[in-house]
Amino acid sequence: MPARVPKPRILIGKPGLDGHDRGAKYVAHVLRDAGYEVVYTGIRRSPEQIVDAAVQEDVAAIGLSLLSGAHNVLFKRIIDLLKERGAGDVLVFGGGTIPPDDLPGLEKLGVAAVFTPGTSAKTIIETIDRLLAGRAKP
Amino acid sequence: MTRSIAQLVEAVVAARDDIAAIRSAAQLISIVEDAPERLPELIQAISRLAEASRPRHARLLLGVTGAPGSGKSTLVDAMVAECRTRFPERRVGVVAVDPSSPFTGGAVLGDRVRMMRHATDPKVFVRSMASRGHLGGLTLGVRGAIHVLGLLGCDVVFIETVGVGQSEVEIAGVADLVLLVLAPGQGDSVQLLKAGLMEIGDVFVVNKADKPEAAKVHAEVLAALELDKQVHAGEVDPLSAESGDGSQAGDALAFERGRCGRVEPRACLVSAQDKKGVVELVDAVEEIAAGVAGPSHEESGLAGRARDGFGRPAGRTSSGHRTVQAVACASG
Ligand SMILES: Nc1nc2c(ncn2[C@@H]2O[C@H](COP(=O)(O)OP(=O)(O)O)[C@@H](O)[C@H]2O)c(=O)[nH]1
Ligand SMILES: [Mg+2]
């Protein structure tokens, strides 16, 4: 493998109570195939677990997979916790069954992107590449 | 606002709380992970710190290796829990390496999934790392991470290797003790032992004791260790050794290698998942560690080596005198 400037690291987490991890695993693999190092944290994680792991892993972004319907609360909690930990610069994006009506509110919260079901791998990669451009480490 | 290595080292030490220390330590690890050539700068910054009120390096570096799926991450999770119970005031670190894709350079790092219950414990720091094309089971960033975790005040640091197999001897050059994890249904574990992993293990952990075939694997491991002992005893020319049994010659060689010459390999049956045998395993590790650590701890003993990196030759083929000890652990 040629030496290269590594792409920023991304943590994928799945807060909430449902046990479906297909979406989270799919995004993890899409990002891996695009050259990202993805820290996968599994299902049913609390916002605290996700944020504390993200801080230890020093990731540039957190991707949340959400199916449970509690997305507004969970996104807010995670973004608040990141700020509390002095890690407000960590980008937060998400995916899952999120009603279009909620998207403006999430954007206002600071959620950088939301991938609804059916989003192509290409779109995911292009979006993450664009959002993280310039965050490549020196 | 990117901070320099020296600033981050100061920040770890001067942090007002765990959260701030952890964040600075995490950033420091990233710097030396992305630029391993800056390791000397890190080491220098740490050594420049004002008279240390506490040690700036871990007391014990524990390597955990073994085939994928043998249960390394689950075992580390269980051992971390046991360490935290045993020494509630002490910090524990984990560095877990998973492979990078040779095609894209990307990686899915999944070891942490098994350890997430510790995520919110401010005294446990877990860091996942991708191998980034480095062969040998570790990655260049591991050395830096070990230094940073020592700086952060970790008492014990676990290092989980990639676990792809027989070439993973590098861990023996980094860790004070190596736990080799074996499990039933992992192919022929004894084949693995024969193929060169035998020499790097200090404790052979037969995991998944809840499965009926585990006892058989345990017996095979004990037999393999016994055979290894006999073979190496036979290798020593009795005429060149001072005593007839060759044990002193073995001792001398083991001493020269600077590691664990005094350690007798043990075989331990555990169920990481059911938390059976883990207390006994940590007992065994602590007992061995107490024996290996000496007054020369700083320079040559536990954790001292890690400061010099991957330099020590792996393997310990000379310890022909060692005896096999079975640790009484859980049965199925
Ligand atoms: N039956 C049983 N399964 C276990 C045990 N320890 C781990 N496992 C399972 O083995 C699989 C691999 O575990 P993991 O810790 O990820 O292994 P690693 O690849 O060596 O790190 C997982 O499905 C674990 O749940 C055990 O003691 N008993
Ligand atoms: Mg693992």
PDB file of all heavy atoms in Angstrom, chain A residues 14 16-22 43-44 67:
ATOM      1  N   LYS A  14     -24.736   3.729  16.535  1.00  0.00           N
ATOM      2  CA  LYS A  14     -26.175   3.522  16.397  1.00  0.00           C
ATOM      3  C   LYS A  14     -26.848   3.685  17.755  1.00  0.00           C
ATOM      4  O   LYS A  14     -26.924   2.741  18.531  1.00  0.00           O
ATOM      5  CB  LYS A  14     -26.437   2.137  15.823  1.00  0.00           C
ATOM      6  CG  LYS A  14     -27.909   1.900  15.632  1.00  0.00           C
ATOM      7  CD  LYS A  14     -28.217   0.943  14.550  1.00  0.00           C
ATOM      8  CE  LYS A  14     -29.721   0.754  14.447  1.00  0.00           C
ATOM      9  NZ  LYS A  14     -30.481   1.908  14.927  1.00  0.00           N
ATOM     10  N   GLY A  16     -30.102   4.485  20.262  1.00  0.00           N
ATOM     11  CA  GLY A  16     -31.496   4.046  20.223  1.00  0.00           C
ATOM     12  C   GLY A  16     -31.628   2.572  20.504  1.00  0.00           C
ATOM     13  O   GLY A  16     -30.642   1.848  20.641  1.00  0.00           O
ATOM     14  N   LEU A  17     -32.848   2.135  20.567  1.00  0.00           N
ATOM     15  CA  LEU A  17     -33.114   0.799  21.115  1.00  0.00           C
ATOM     16  C   LEU A  17     -33.262  -0.303  20.074  1.00  0.00           C
ATOM     17  O   LEU A  17     -33.145  -1.479  20.390  1.00  0.00           O
ATOM     18  CB  LEU A  17     -34.383   0.842  21.981  1.00  0.00           C
ATOM     19  CG  LEU A  17     -34.253   1.758  23.202  1.00  0.00           C
ATOM     20  CD1 LEU A  17     -35.549   1.794  23.993  1.00  0.00           C
ATOM     21  CD2 LEU A  17     -33.091   1.290  24.084  1.00  0.00           C
ATOM     22  N   ASP A  18     -33.523   0.062  18.821  1.00  0.00           N
ATOM     23  CA  ASP A  18     -33.747  -1.027  17.874  1.00  0.00           C
ATOM     24  C   ASP A  18     -32.425  -1.677  17.487  1.00  0.00           C
ATOM     25  O   ASP A  18     -31.357  -1.069  17.573  1.00  0.00           O
ATOM     26  CB  ASP A  18     -34.479  -0.527  16.630  1.00  0.00           C
ATOM     27  CG  ASP A  18     -33.594   0.336  15.787  1.00  0.00           C
ATOM     28  OD1 ASP A  18     -33.435   1.538  16.112  1.00  0.00           O
ATOM     29  OD2 ASP A  18     -33.004  -0.191  14.828  1.00  0.00           O
ATOM     30  N   GLY A  19     -32.507  -2.925  17.083  1.00  0.00           N
ATOM     31  CA  GLY A  19     -31.283  -3.702  16.888  1.00  0.00           C
ATOM     32  C   GLY A  19     -30.880  -3.886  15.434  1.00  0.00           C
ATOM     33  O   GLY A  19     -30.115  -4.780  15.118  1.00  0.00           O
ATOM     34  N   HIS A  20     -31.378  -3.016  14.549  1.00  0.00           N
ATOM     35  CA  HIS A  20     -31.021  -3.194  13.139  1.00  0.00           C
ATOM     36  C   HIS A  20     -29.736  -2.455  12.833  1.00  0.00           C
ATOM     37  O   HIS A  20     -29.693  -1.239  12.933  1.00  0.00           O
ATOM     38  CB  HIS A  20     -32.152  -2.688  12.243  1.00  0.00           C
ATOM     39  CG  HIS A  20     -33.428  -3.441  12.452  1.00  0.00           C
ATOM     40  ND1 HIS A  20     -33.631  -4.701  11.923  1.00  0.00           N
ATOM     41  CD2 HIS A  20     -34.535  -3.133  13.155  1.00  0.00           C
ATOM     42  CE1 HIS A  20     -34.832  -5.122  12.290  1.00  0.00           C
ATOM     43  NE2 HIS A  20     -35.399  -4.205  13.050  1.00  0.00           N
ATOM     44  N   ASP A  21     -28.715  -3.186  12.454  1.00  0.00           N
ATOM     45  CA  ASP A  21     -27.446  -2.509  12.201  1.00  0.00           C
ATOM     46  C   ASP A  21     -27.078  -2.506  10.717  1.00  0.00           C
ATOM     47  O   ASP A  21     -25.969  -2.156  10.355  1.00  0.00           O
ATOM     48  CB  ASP A  21     -26.330  -3.145  13.029  1.00  0.00           C
ATOM     49  CG  ASP A  21     -26.153  -4.626  12.744  1.00  0.00           C
ATOM     50  OD1 ASP A  21     -26.928  -5.181  11.931  1.00  0.00           O
ATOM     51  OD2 ASP A  21     -25.243  -5.232  13.338  1.00  0.00           O
ATOM     52  N   ARG A  22     -28.024  -2.895   9.861  1.00  0.00           N
ATOM     53  CA  ARG A  22     -27.671  -2.976   8.435  1.00  0.00           C
ATOM     54  C   ARG A  22     -27.263  -1.630   7.869  1.00  0.00           C
ATOM     55  O   ARG A  22     -26.266  -1.527   7.162  1.00  0.00           O
ATOM     56  CB  ARG A  22     -28.839  -3.561   7.645  1.00  0.00           C
ATOM     57  CG  ARG A  22     -28.799  -5.074   7.631  1.00  0.00           C
ATOM     58  CD  ARG A  22     -29.855  -5.646   6.716  1.00  0.00           C
ATOM     59  NE  ARG A  22     -29.745  -5.140   5.343  1.00  0.00           N
ATOM     60  CZ  ARG A  22     -30.654  -5.387   4.401  1.00  0.00           C
ATOM     61  NH1 ARG A  22     -31.721  -6.084   4.685  1.00  0.00           N
ATOM     62  NH2 ARG A  22     -30.483  -4.931   3.179  1.00  0.00           N
ATOM     63  N   ILE A  43     -24.471  -1.497  18.027  1.00  0.00           N
ATOM     64  CA  ILE A  43     -25.851  -1.028  18.199  1.00  0.00           C
ATOM     65  C   ILE A  43     -26.176  -0.678  19.649  1.00  0.00           C
ATOM     66  O   ILE A  43     -25.451  -1.043  20.569  1.00  0.00           O
ATOM     67  CB  ILE A  43     -26.853  -2.103  17.715  1.00  0.00           C
ATOM     68  CG1 ILE A  43     -26.612  -3.423  18.450  1.00  0.00           C
ATOM     69  CG2 ILE A  43     -26.738  -2.285  16.217  1.00  0.00           C
ATOM     70  CD1 ILE A  43     -27.663  -4.484  18.154  1.00  0.00           C
ATOM     71  N   ARG A  44     -27.278   0.015  19.802  1.00  0.00           N
ATOM     72  CA  ARG A  44     -27.849   0.355  21.114  1.00  0.00           C
ATOM     73  C   ARG A  44     -26.859   1.098  22.005  1.00  0.00           C
ATOM     74  O   ARG A  44     -26.666   0.748  23.163  1.00  0.00           O
ATOM     75  CB  ARG A  44     -28.344  -0.901  21.841  1.00  0.00           C
ATOM     76  CG  ARG A  44     -29.489  -1.591  21.112  1.00  0.00           C
ATOM     77  CD  ARG A  44     -30.214  -2.557  22.013  1.00  0.00           C
ATOM     78  NE  ARG A  44     -31.199  -3.328  21.263  1.00  0.00           N
ATOM     79  CZ  ARG A  44     -30.983  -4.555  20.791  1.00  0.00           C
ATOM     80  NH1 ARG A  44     -29.831  -5.150  21.007  1.00  0.00           N
ATOM     81  NH2 ARG A  44     -31.917  -5.176  20.113  1.00  0.00           N
ATOM     82  N   LEU A  67     -33.156   4.782  13.373  1.00  0.00           N
ATOM     83  CA  LEU A  67     -34.411   4.248  12.865  1.00  0.00           C
ATOM     84  C   LEU A  67     -35.530   4.422  13.879  1.00  0.00           C
ATOM     85  O   LEU A  67     -36.689   4.216  13.593  1.00  0.00           O
ATOM     86  CB  LEU A  67     -34.267   2.741  12.576  1.00  0.00           C
ATOM     87  CG  LEU A  67     -33.317   2.338  11.461  1.00  0.00           C
ATOM     88  CD1 LEU A  67     -33.070   0.842  11.504  1.00  0.00           C
ATOM     89  CD2 LEU A  67     -33.871   2.741  10.110  1.00  0.00           C
TER      90      LEU A  67
END
